[in-house]
Amino acid sequence: MAGSEAAWQAAQAGIPVVIHEMRPRVGTFAHRTGSLAEMVCSNSFRSDDSEQNAVGLLHWEMRAAGGLIMEMADAHRLPAGGALAVDRDPFAEAVTARLRAHPLIEVVDEEVSALPQSGHWIIATGPLTGSGLAQAIADEAGQESLAFFDAIAPIVHFDSIDMDTAWMQSRYDKGETEEERTAYINCPMTKDQYEAFIDAMLAAEKTEFKPGETAGYFDGCLPIEVMAERGRETLRFGPMKPVGLTNPHNPTEKAYAVVQLRRDNALGTLYNIVGFQTKMKYGAQKEVFGMIPGLQDAQFARLGGIHRNTFINSPTLLDAQMRLKSKPHIRFAGQITGVEGYVESAAMGLLAGRMAAAEMRGASLPEVPQTTAMGALVTHITGGAEAKTFQPMNVNFGLFPPVSDAKGGRKGRQVRYKMYTDRAKADWQDWLGVRQAAE
Ligand SMILES: Cc1cc2nc3c(=O)[nH]c(=O)nc-3n(C[C@H](O)[C@H](O)[C@H](O)COP(=O)(O)OP(=O)(O)OC[C@H]3O[C@@H](n4cnc5c(N)ncnc54)[C@H](O)[C@@H]3O)c2cc1C
């Protein structure tokens, strides 16, 4: 996805491109074909609503930028209500044919197993990056900066947390500044609530690993339900321990257990539930996590999961132009940068292709405004996200600077989302330099 879009954008800007693709010679457990831009699982680009949905907005921005992936997805669209579903094989074949037919693009069927030492490169090898290259990246960036699994704790929109029940406090009020002393959001549970929560978690439907995925967990990221299976009290002595905290809404009563959420982005609009990486199915997660006092109306920016996924710690490794700081002739794009999903990956390819092409012409593109879906994503991966807890992320409005006059409720949300998308479209057209032409 990302490599195809990057190549297209650079070639359209007049730069000759060589695509190195290891398939079909070297396969992965998820890909079936030798086509570029193969959709490995679902055939959906998700919502196509560019007024109320962040991924729909990303579609809009990519179309406005002449994106190949969106053009081909539109050409091979299947009926799916408000979603953009794609006829996957004709789509991938059409992307491949367009790239192979481009006079400035050459496709070489070979695996790249080392970091190139010269030239301009974009590494867009995705969640199933070949092992030789993955090792070379780890050698360059440090083992701790390359993950092979994402162990994802759910991420919640701050404005959907009930702060009449929850409160902000770090354990034992630790920290030099007021901000540090109130870094966590705490959700208290009584004994009955805790017991019911454990029962629901143990009974919830879980996803099994697919063939080829490894079931080995790192010790630091055991799924929450696996911890609960080890004993009903395990969580009360682990991530849900109630010590060092006083509930200002009810200071005389000690909570039996406490769920903590930690800030997940610089804007403070997203919080992750600490230690709650999980293999519960999405529907079950919403039900079980909705039992946590304070999260009864939680809106999730992403639900939890554990998947095979190669990705780098982009916030520490990449500069704002998506270049590897230690080897700036190499850019990264796509899922390996810590975005998640077909569309987000292609979007980061679009930016990387344009940035590389500009650099080769001796220019530099201005920063993409964070108010756009493109800008929100690239800002997140290149510095906006917390590096320590960095996990792959779909595009969502929590990554955007808040719009003023945020109001609650469904109606308020619709108004707010429209404000986000109107602002994004205008700013994106400005960035592309096409606003005047459009008006
Ligand atoms: C099992 C699985 C299921 C998924 N399901 C979904 C889903 O339903 N919806 C969704 O939106 N996203 C899904 N994803 C995420 C999805 O992979 C990405 O969203 C998207 O395909 C990533 O795009 P990309 O361009 O970064 O990587 P890819 O599309 O994977 O492209 C990377 C390319 O690089 C090639 N490559 C890898 N290493 C080398 C090398 N060393 N040398 C040469 N070529 C190499 C690969 O063959 C591949 O063609 C899934 C991922 C996995 C692993």
Side-chain angles (χ1 to χ4, degrees):
M1 292 290 167
S4 298
E5 187 64 60
W8 180 255
Q9 293 291 327
Q12 288 294 86
I15 302 294
V17 180
V18 180
I19 299 175
H20 300 259
E21 170 55 60
M22 69 178 184
R23 288 177 298 114
R25 284 193 192 177
V26 181
T28 76
F29 78 83
H31 291 92
R32 295 176 300 113
T33 73
S35 297
L36 304 172
E38 180 179 332
M39 301 170 84
V40 285
C41 187
S42 107
N43 70 332
S44 176
F45 274 20
R46 315 198 315 274
S47 171
D48 200 28
D49 181 348
S50 75
E51 295 192 348
Q52 289 291 309
N53 189 287
V55 80
L57 173 65
L58 198 53
H59 294 172
W60 189 96
E61 292 180 8
M62 291 165 76
R63 288 182 182 119
L68 175 67
I69 293 293
M70 287 311 301
E71 187 191 333
M72 294 297 106
D74 286 335
H76 296 281
R77 185 178 196 130
L78 297 172
L84 174 51
V86 178
D87 193 357
R88 68 176 77 224
D89 287 341
F91 159 77
E93 284 157 17
V95 171
T96 307
R98 283 289 281 277
L99 291 169
R100 285 191 184 272
H102 198 293
L104 290 179
I105 297 177
E106 181 190 352
V107 182
V108 176
D109 296 330
E110 69 175 14
E111 181 177 8
V112 175
S113 297
L115 284 184
Q117 294 306 316
S118 60
H120 290 265
W121 288 79
I122 298 174
I123 296 183
T125 44
L128 307 174
T129 294
S131 53
L133 185 62
Q135 188 55 53
I137 295 169
D139 290 345
E140 173 69 23
Q143 205 68 46
E144 68 294 344
S145 295
L146 182 77
F148 292 97
F149 286 88
D150 46 11
I152 307 152
I155 295 175
V156 179
H157 289 274
F158 172 71
D159 60 10
S160 70
I161 301 172
D162 171 13
M163 294 305 291
D164 291 335
T165 303
W167 76 98
M168 299 180 93
Q169 183 189 9
S170 299
R171 240 182 254 289
Y172 300 110
D173 299 307
K174 271 195 187 148
E176 303 277 296
T177 62
E178 183 59 16
E179 203 182 9
E180 286 171 359
R181 285 189 291 274
T182 56
Y184 289 79
I185 293 177
N186 302 283
C187 300
M189 276 190 189
T190 62
K191 184 169 192 309
D192 287 349
Q193 286 167 334
Y194 178 79
E195 296 296 344
F197 179 70
I198 298 290
D199 286 339
M201 192 158 26
L202 293 176
E205 231 189 312
K206 323 280 185 328
T207 310
E208 299 306 325
F209 276 100
K210 296 193 182 74
E213 286 181 310
T214 310
Y217 301 120
F218 300 117
D219 235 25
C221 56
L222 275 181
I224 187 91
E225 63 276 3
V226 173
M227 278 193 255
E229 278 162 15
R230 293 182 171 181
R232 296 185 69 85
E233 291 290 280
T234 309
L235 294 179
R236 263 188 11 100
F237 290 92
M240 292 175 71
K241 59 178 177 279
V243 301
L245 297 164
T246 306
N247 180 355
H249 307 301
N250 190 2
T252 52
E253 197 176 309
K254 271 278 163 223
Y256 188 72
V258 174
V259 174
Q260 286 202 304
L261 295 93
R262 184 171 44 220
R263 199 154 112 165
D264 204 74
N265 63 348
L267 294 172
T269 49
L270 299 174
Y271 277 74
N272 69 70
I273 315 185
V274 179
F276 271 47
Q277 51 277 355
T278 177
K279 292 221 74 173
M280 278 187 279
K281 291 210 161 155
Y282 284 174
Q285 287 188 42
K286 284 188 188 156
E287 267 176 42
V288 173
F289 298 146
M291 294 170 74
I292 299 171
L295 301 190
Q296 62 278 5
D297 297 319
Q299 297 279 325
F300 291 91
R302 76 164 298 164
L303 286 158
I306 297 181
H307 307 275
R308 169 86 166 79
N309 191 3
T310 312
F311 66 99
I312 58 171
N313 194 295
S314 294
T316 53
L317 297 179
L318 301 186
D319 70 12
Q321 292 277 318
M322 303 171 78
R323 289 175 298 216
L324 192 59
K325 288 176 192 164
S326 63
K327 286 198 180 333
H329 66 290
I330 298 176
R331 280 187 165 75
F332 279 80
Q335 181 120 344
I336 197 167
T337 62
V339 294
E340 168 89 23
Y342 303 136
V343 183
E344 288 86 341
S345 297
M348 293 303 94
L350 189 152
L351 279 187
R354 284 183 168 231
M355 286 171 175
E359 189 176 319
M360 290 176 75
R361 289 196 310 263
S364 171
L365 293 181
E367 239 173 66
V368 189
Q370 196 182 352
T371 49
T372 65
M374 287 279 189
L377 271 177
V378 76
T379 306
H380 183 72
I381 59 173
T382 59
E386 276 296 333
K388 266 198 239 153
T389 55
F390 186 60
Q391 289 291 341
M393 180 67 99
N394 283 124
V395 67
N396 67 78
F397 289 124
L399 302 178
F400 293 61
V403 287
S404 56
D405 282 344
K407 293 202 173 55
R410 189 156 163 266
K411 260 235 122 66
R413 202 155 52 231
Q414 282 175 352
V415 172
R416 200 152 27 104
Y417 289 172
K418 182 75 167 50
M419 288 165 83
Y420 278 122
T421 55
D422 283 348
R423 181 179 67 177
K425 288 174 185 175
D427 290 353
W428 180 242
Q429 286 182 315
D430 280 345
W431 190 82
L432 289 174
V434 298
R435 178 122 80 126
Q436 272 175 341
E439 273 167 2

